[in-house]
Amino acid sequence: MLPLAQIAHGFGHSVAGSDRSYDQGRTPEKFEWLAGNGFALHPQDGSGIVSPDQILIASAAVEDTVPEVAKARELGCARMSRAELLSALFNEAGYSIAVGGTSGKSTVTGMIAWILSQGSYDPTVMNGAVMKNFASPDNPFASARIGNPRIFVSEVDESDGSIALYKPTIGVLLNVSLDHKSIEELRVLFGNYVNEAGCGVINFDNEEARFLAERTTNHVSFAVSNTAADISVEPDTVKESAFGISAVIVDSRSRDVAPLDLPMPGSHNLSNALAAIAAVSAAGIDVKKAAHALGSFEGLGRRFDVIGTTDSAITVIDDFGHNPEKCAATLRTLKATPGRVIAFFQPHGYGPLKQMGDELAETFARELDSGDITIMCDPVYYGGTVDRSQGTERITALITQHGGSAEHIAARSACGDRMVAMARPGDRIVIMGARDDTLTSFAQSVFEQLK
């Protein structure tokens, strides 16, 4: 909601809001920044709804019992979902680039935004994470960029089916895998999405995405491994370190080549870079210019974000991994370099844990070695009527059954104490989870205790 609020405010609308986090005193610095930058804040008691002329914007997670919803209904206010407002602004743009898929959306959106801004195209950008290149002391919460409203870049979400609302000029499809919906449902949603786009940008390394390329009459393909793709790499040129990855990019349509030196580790980020390059090439931007721009891409907050390394070489990393594919990508990046991994995971809800818990357990058991360990606390829960009968202890038991090492410790603070107690020189501690802005401060507190 924050980047959407920033965009609406930047486009000249009056914006007010409420949030459980505000009432509960979590992330006060974020709300102080909002209050100081023209956003009216109200307790979540309905007091901010005072006129039938207001439009209530609520995310899909907001229940009808929330006081604002009841008050808006009483006054007859128009109501829109988060996706309905975003898609309305997005579809009004003259040129639009949407980024969809199960994993990598925020990173690729940030990469495309940086390439376009470096080319002086001044895009408006909606992202799900803070884009470090655009963050500043005046705006440390730069998950949005306010630019030309006629050029709009946005990640688009399939979890609530709202991806169907977007009509992009260019529609990027990164991957299709289990997250919030079944594979069958995802095939329909993503298939319709790429069919609706003026040009689809498809990951040929992902079997499900490659299959959906048949739904497009016009597409650009990219891949790290599949040599049939339009944008790929010279295999022998790929070099990875703990701090970045490099390769020679090949455009098979023109036979042009371009060096890429990406200051972010992980083969998944090489794939993300190819996606961004393919997307802007579909918009007419030279591959060499795009690759050069990514050499100064600083990444996103909570995307393999290194909090720090102690004098005894213990590194703490903050990461958004919350589904099997995202977690696997992060763990593989860690295992590409030496050192034990202590993986902390906070499930982002009881519903998602029930949906993907078995695959999560398989992921942690498969990607980590016998000397590594997974520590999980109870899922995020801020209230509501969700079924809480299946918790984290089931997942840690499954990890153990699959041959991994895992512990369930209900309280997050106790998990932090446990990790600090067991950490030894050379360890990498990764803090993973979503839908909780306090995870970064938790990662920072673990690092401070280690120091």
Side-chain angles (χ1 to χ4, degrees):
M1 295 297 286
L2 176 59
L4 180 59
Q6 290 185 58
I7 291 171
H9 187 262
F11 283 4
H13 299 285
S14 175
V15 179
S18 68
D19 195 295
R20 285 176 180 167
S21 296
Y22 178 58
D23 293 354
Q24 296 167 0
R26 291 183 285 119
T27 61
E29 69 285 350
K30 183 172 291 187
F31 293 106
E32 288 170 6
W33 180 86
L34 282 165
N37 282 273
F39 299 85
L41 302 179
H42 300 276
Q44 201 161 86
D45 59 5
S47 60
I49 308 295
V50 296
S51 166
D53 295 329
Q54 288 175 288
I55 301 173
L56 177 70
I57 314 298
S59 75
V62 172
E63 299 165 318
D64 288 344
T65 54
V66 169
E68 274 76 4
V69 178
K71 188 68 176 294
R73 189 188 307 113
E74 177 187 323
L75 292 179
C77 299
R79 179 177 174 179
M80 299 176 76
S81 68
R82 184 195 75 87
E84 285 171 340
L85 176 58
L86 174 59
S87 62
L89 298 172
F90 180 88
N91 292 338
E92 286 173 5
Y95 206 94
S96 57
I97 303 177
V99 183
T102 311
S103 303
K105 294 187 291 292
S106 298
T107 298
V108 174
T109 299
M111 287 176 167
I112 293 171
W114 183 239
I115 294 168
L116 293 178
S117 65
Q118 288 293 94
S120 302
Y121 290 99
D122 190 29
T124 290
V125 186
M126 165 77 188
N127 206 329
V130 171
M131 298 173 284
K132 293 182 179 179
N133 287 94
F134 301 116
S136 68
D138 291 336
N139 182 11
F141 307 109
S143 50
R145 182 185 189 274
I146 315 304
N148 184 345
R150 303 297 295 164
I151 304 174
F152 208 122
V153 182
S154 180
E155 65 169 276
V156 294
D157 189 17
E158 82 290 345
S159 65
D160 59 358
S162 62
I163 193 171
L165 299 173
Y166 300 87
K167 316 297 179 188
T169 308
I170 297 170
V172 182
L173 179 56
L174 301 174
N175 38 58
V176 181
S177 63
L178 187 67
D179 193 344
H180 299 278
K181 293 186 178 296
S182 69
I183 287 294
E184 291 72 22
E185 291 175 297
L186 292 173
R187 286 169 180 162
V188 172
L189 283 170
F190 285 127
N192 292 338
Y193 161 69
V194 295
N195 182 51
E196 195 68 47
C199 176
V201 176
I202 313 291
N203 182 3
F204 269 28
D205 279 335
N206 183 265
E207 185 177 358
E208 291 284 349
R210 186 171 67 250
F211 171 75
L212 293 178
E214 298 175 8
R215 298 286 301 275
T216 67
T217 55
N218 179 29
H219 72 264
V220 176
S221 57
F222 68 93
V224 174
S225 303
N226 191 323
T227 55
D230 297 317
I231 305 291
S232 60
V233 300
E234 290 281 2
D236 296 340
T237 66
V238 178
K239 296 179 181 178
E240 186 172 1
S241 72
F243 305 103
I245 191 164
S246 63
V248 173
I249 309 300
V250 178
D251 185 342
S252 64
R253 300 164 299 176
S254 63
R255 301 309 303 168
D256 284 344
V257 296
L260 172 70
D261 192 2
L262 188 67
M264 300 171 66
S267 58
H268 63 292
N269 279 321
L270 177 57
S271 180
N272 289 337
L274 294 181
I277 292 168
V280 299
S281 78
I285 294 176
D286 182 73
V287 168
K288 292 180 180 178
K289 291 182 179 179
H292 177 73
L294 290 180
S296 56
F297 181 64
E298 296 177 16
L300 281 77
R302 302 217 63 235
R303 283 9 179 226
F304 208 89
D305 198 355
V306 177
I307 298 296
T309 301
T310 69
D311 291 342
S312 58
I314 301 171
T315 300
V316 177
I317 297 155
D318 187 22
D319 190 78
F320 188 65
H322 64 278
N323 63 36
E325 188 160 329
K326 286 184 173 73
C327 290
T330 297
L331 298 176
R332 285 172 192 165
T333 300
L334 287 165
K335 296 306 296 180
T337 52
R340 184 176 69 156
V341 173
I342 301 174
F344 168 82
F345 182 76
Q346 176 178 280
H348 61 291
Y350 283 89
L353 190 64
K354 184 176 181 180
Q355 169 81 7
M356 67 182 85
D358 289 12
E359 284 203 29
L360 276 169
E362 291 175 11
T363 298
F364 280 92
R366 181 186 66 243
E367 301 297 337
L368 295 178
D369 297 332
S370 57
D372 303 323
I373 187 168
T374 302
I375 296 177
M376 293 189 179
C377 66
D378 285 344
V380 170
Y381 178 68
Y382 299 133
T385 58
V386 66
D387 176 12
R388 291 186 285 159
S389 60
Q390 292 193 26
T392 309
E393 58 274 15
R394 182 179 76 89
I395 311 306
T396 52
L398 284 172
I399 293 173
T400 303
Q401 288 176 26
H402 288 304
S405 177
E407 296 180 11
H408 167 243
I409 303 173
R412 189 174 76 181
S413 59
C415 292
D417 294 339
R418 172 72 173 132
M419 289 187 289
V420 170
M422 72 167 60
R424 60 186 187 228
D427 283 352
R428 282 80 52 77
I429 298 176
V430 58
I431 306 299
M432 291 187 283
R435 292 186 187 168
D436 183 352
D437 289 342
T438 67
L439 279 166
T440 296
S441 60
F442 173 63
Q444 291 168 340
S445 72
V446 170
F447 179 66
E448 289 302 319
Q449 289 182 69
L450 288 166
K451 285 206 302 181

